[in-house]
Amino acid sequence: SQTIHQWPATLVQPVGSPLSLECTVEGTSNPNLYWYRQAAGRGLQLLFYSVGIGQISSEVPQNLSASRPQDRQFILSSKKLLLSDSGFYLCAWTQRNTEAFFGQGTRLTVV
Amino acid sequence: DAKTTQPNSMESNEEEPVHLPCNHSTISGTDYIHWYRQLPSQGPEYVIHGLTSNVNNRMASLAIAEDRKSSTLILHRATLRDAAVYYCILSSHGSSNTGKLIFGQGTTLQVKP
């Protein structure tokens, strides 16, 4: 069966520190991969999506970047965190015309 | 990206049916209609999706208007565990094949015992 792993579950980082969140998918090949962010009390904002290795599309300009070094691995990074980067980060995957599966999320607090 | 419009909140009584509406007047021919729900501090959970015909699964039913400009998610017997934010989303599966899901604000469903 397909599963999605996302870690860590919670993270507290100081302003100006780097960030690396990793997401891996099992049980499928060539998935579409997504990173979302949800600020407190708000809806989900699509940050990045990828339809293949090395192919990254950014939805909004921001302090973050994404990479897909392997077919089932999606990484969200930042060189220097801002207070506004705090939020609930979710990784997701889909195959064409099917449902999306979401990870359990990482709650990031920048202090 | 085509947008959807949903009521901000709805209330239901336990064990009664719930009809959650969604308007998507700018839907294109390749857009699928997806519904997800999100409980606090959790990732969204898939509920149902469809293209043109009504769909049924173990969780819910999806009724799609003939012109596809609106749809309704039907929970046949609401339980307290159905209290969540419900998102109606259009996902394009055209030539770009991104299948990306753009979330709106959703409908917060409250279920009263």
Side-chain angles (χ1 to χ4, degrees), chain A residues 82-105:
Chain A
L82 306 173
L83 288 174
S84 57
D85 291 325
S86 294
F88 189 43
Y89 288 82
L90 288 155
C91 179
W93 74 270
T94 71
Q95 288 283 8
R96 188 182 180 119
N97 296 344
T98 65
E99 66 202 81
F101 295 89
F102 285 81
Q104 289 304 301

Side-chain angles (χ1 to χ4, degrees), chain B residues 7 12-13 38 42 55 59 64 73 94-95 98-99 103 108 110:
Chain B
S12 172
N13 294 318
Q38 185 179 24
Q42 294 187 24
V55 184
M59 290 182 68
I64 301 173
L73 177 70
S95 58
T98 63
F103 285 77
T108 299
Q110 293 181 319

Side-chain angles (χ1 to χ4, degrees), chain A residues 24-100:
Chain A
T24 60
V25 179
E26 295 178 356
T28 187
S29 60
N30 196 29
N32 291 343
L33 296 172
Y34 309 86
W35 277 110
Y36 289 86
R37 176 173 63 197
Q38 188 170 34
R42 306 290 296 275
L44 282 84
Q45 179 185 36
L46 178 62
L47 302 176
F48 301 95
Y49 66 92
S50 171
V51 299
I53 296 174
Q55 300 178 59
I56 308 295
S57 296
S58 174
E59 286 292 294
V60 293
Q62 57 208 316
N63 184 40
L64 302 167
S65 62
S67 61
R68 185 172 177 174
Q70 300 181 43
D71 181 43
R72 290 171 289 181
Q73 184 185 28
F74 206 22
I75 298 172
L76 183 70
S77 303
S78 174
K79 292 182 178 179
K80 289 185 178 182
L81 284 170
L82 306 173
L83 288 174
S84 57
D85 291 325
S86 294
F88 189 43
Y89 288 82
L90 288 155
C91 179
W93 74 270
T94 71
Q95 288 283 8
R96 188 182 180 119
N97 296 344
T98 65
E99 66 202 81

Side-chain angles (χ1 to χ4, degrees), chain A residues 7-24:
Chain A
W7 67 91
T10 59
L11 192 60
V12 180
Q13 292 284 101
V15 169
S17 64
L19 173 73
S20 180
L21 301 180
E22 187 166 344
C23 170
T24 60

Side-chain angles (χ1 to χ4, degrees), chain B:
Chain B
D1 300 310
K3 292 185 177 180
T4 62
T5 303
Q6 300 176 251
N8 288 332
S9 62
M10 291 185 65
E11 289 184 355
S12 172
N13 294 318
E14 196 175 11
E15 299 190 0
E16 290 186 355
V18 181
H19 291 234
L20 297 166
C22 181
N23 288 320
H24 28 79
S25 59
T26 59
I27 191 171
S28 72
T30 58
D31 286 338
Y32 279 72
I33 302 161
H34 289 245
W35 283 83
Y36 290 78
R37 70 182 186 182
Q38 185 179 24
L39 298 172
S41 299
Q42 294 187 24
E45 173 189 29
Y46 169 80
V47 178
I48 201 166
H49 79 289
L51 183 62
T52 56
S53 302
N54 294 343
V55 184
N56 299 295
N57 65 22
R58 62 176 179 81
M59 290 182 68
S61 295
L62 176 60
I64 301 173
E66 193 170 339
D67 63 6
R68 300 208 326 126
K69 293 184 177 182
S70 65
S71 61
T72 303
L73 177 70
I74 303 167
L75 306 178
H76 296 287
R77 288 185 62 194
T79 69
L80 296 179
R81 290 176 295 179
D82 292 323
V85 179
Y86 287 78
Y87 296 99
C88 168
I89 303 158
L90 301 183
S91 177
S92 175
H93 292 276
S95 58
S96 63
N97 188 29
T98 63
K100 59 183 179 180
L101 302 173
I102 304 297
F103 285 77
Q105 292 304 305
T107 296
T108 299
L109 175 65
Q110 293 181 319
V111 180
K112 297 180 177 179

